[in-house]
Amino acid sequence: MSALQPQTNGAVEAADDTLIDCKIEDLHYGKFKAVRDIALKIKKGTITAFIGPSGCGKSTALRCLNRMNDLVRGFHFRGHVIFRGQDIYKPSVDPVAVRRHIGMVFQQPNPFAMSIFRNVAFGLRLNRYKGSVGDKVEQALRQAVLWDEVKDKLHTSALALSGGQQQRLCIARAIATEPAVLLMDEPCSALDPVATHKIEELMKELKKKYTIAIVTHNLQQAKRVADMTAFLYVDTSGGGRTGYQVEYGPTDALFENPKEKYTREYLSGAFS
């Protein structure tokens, strides 16, 4: 973990406030070029949304931010992801340590087949947390706005929770170890409108403490929750399908006055 501590002085960090500087020149799985030409900076305490049609590389770009793509056979890329002043892809950086600082919540709720309490405590025990695990579990569940719903059944199976509750449990599990960044890959796609609303309200609350990046197919969701939005599209000119960044900027400006033709067409519903 020490390898990922801030390398810039406090004055520089405060002046810029960039927590992640991501530049993907090109990204391959084996011979397949999945993504190219992505460049964005994510500022501390904000929510950034990745939007675009299916197959444009939104999730691939998101997973680059905490080296989850390392787990895919044949993955290699040119570029950098600078987090707190250091490139997380340097050979000296442990990807497991990266994921302690940059957590992730997946599209489908994936609670472990164990109790609610043990789910949230899992990362704490893995990282040999020295304080009160019980207090930390309660704190994480409160932050995930789930405590009042589960406080009397902490030792029952997490699999008995509803889909929306399971997703909030996964968020609690992710934030229990207090990462700096929380990545969320279509966190509401499997949820009903009521559960989706709860997750969106939770995201707005969590950004007071965490920096968040999400992938979403729901344009209205991006508009509701994101401070910044990146629009990705698909290049098929070479016979393949390679995602790339078309436009990135403040959400209000991108939705109300997009600069690029493809952005305007996508937001108008010309393609999906």
Side-chain angles (χ1 to χ4, degrees):
M1 293 178 65
S2 59
L4 291 175
Q5 295 306 307
Q7 296 298 297
T8 54
N9 61 49
V12 172
E13 266 200 298
D16 184 37
D17 220 21
T18 294
L19 190 58
I20 294 179
D21 179 351
C22 173
K23 182 176 179 59
I24 303 172
E25 295 177 27
D26 53 60
L27 183 156
H28 290 78
Y29 296 124
K31 295 182 179 180
F32 170 60
K33 184 189 287 189
V35 170
R36 65 167 174 82
D37 299 327
I38 290 179
L40 50 84
K41 293 183 178 182
I42 298 176
K43 293 189 178 293
K44 184 177 180 181
T46 62
I47 299 176
T48 298
F50 291 82
I51 65 171
S54 297
C56 69
K58 301 183 297 296
S59 293
T60 294
L62 187 77
R63 291 196 298 263
C64 259
L65 301 181
N66 72 343
R67 296 189 59 169
M68 287 297 292
N69 288 322
D70 288 25
L71 305 175
V72 181
R73 179 174 294 184
F75 163 74
H76 59 100
F77 94 121
R78 291 188 305 127
H80 63 245
V81 177
I82 308 297
F83 170 67
R84 288 178 168 170
Q86 292 198 53
D87 189 350
I88 65 172
Y89 281 90
K90 282 187 175 180
S92 59
V93 175
D94 180 4
V96 176
V98 170
R99 293 173 202 135
R100 290 180 197 140
H101 293 270
I102 307 174
M104 191 156 195
V105 175
F106 297 94
Q107 180 176 357
Q108 294 288 338
N110 62 339
F112 302 140
M114 55 180 66
S115 72
I116 294 167
F117 184 93
R118 290 179 63 199
N119 262 272
V120 183
F122 186 86
L124 296 169
R125 287 172 170 159
L126 191 67
N127 294 314
R128 299 179 182 179
Y129 178 67
K130 302 298 184 183
S132 168
V133 172
D135 289 347
K136 205 68 174 174
V137 168
E138 179 178 344
Q139 179 186 25
L141 287 169
R142 285 188 181 280
Q143 286 183 324
V145 196
L146 190 58
W147 173 254
D148 289 341
E149 297 170 45
V150 302
K151 62 184 179 182
D152 296 324
K153 48 184 178 182
L154 292 176
H155 300 290
T156 61
S157 174
L159 301 180
L161 296 174
S162 70
Q165 289 175 323
Q166 287 186 11
Q167 192 66 297
R168 280 182 285 148
L169 177 67
C170 292
I171 292 171
R173 187 175 66 199
I175 64 178
T177 55
E178 298 190 347
V181 181
L182 188 61
L183 309 179
M184 307 178 81
D185 192 354
E186 297 192 59
C188 303
S189 65
L191 305 181
D192 62 44
V194 172
T196 294
H197 176 72
K198 288 183 178 180
I199 296 295
E200 289 180 0
E201 291 303 305
L202 175 57
M203 281 191 271
K204 293 175 187 176
E205 187 64 27
L206 288 175
K207 83 168 184 175
K208 295 175 183 177
K209 185 171 183 180
Y210 306 97
T211 300
I212 299 172
I214 68 169
V215 166
T216 180
H217 275 290
N218 186 331
L219 296 182
Q220 293 307 309
Q221 180 173 84
K223 199 171 182 179
R224 286 191 296 265
V225 305
D227 302 288
M228 300 289 289
T229 297
F231 170 59
L232 278 59
Y233 190 51
V234 185
D235 178 5
T236 59
S237 59
R241 291 182 60 85
T242 301
Y244 68 99
Q245 179 180 312
V246 174
E247 191 166 345
Y248 176 59
T251 299
D252 288 346
L254 187 140
F255 274 85
E256 294 171 12
N257 188 28
K259 298 176 181 178
E260 302 296 331
K261 173 177 178 286
Y262 286 143
T263 313
R264 290 193 294 270
E265 291 179 350
Y266 182 71
L267 295 178
S268 70
F271 60 87
S272 59

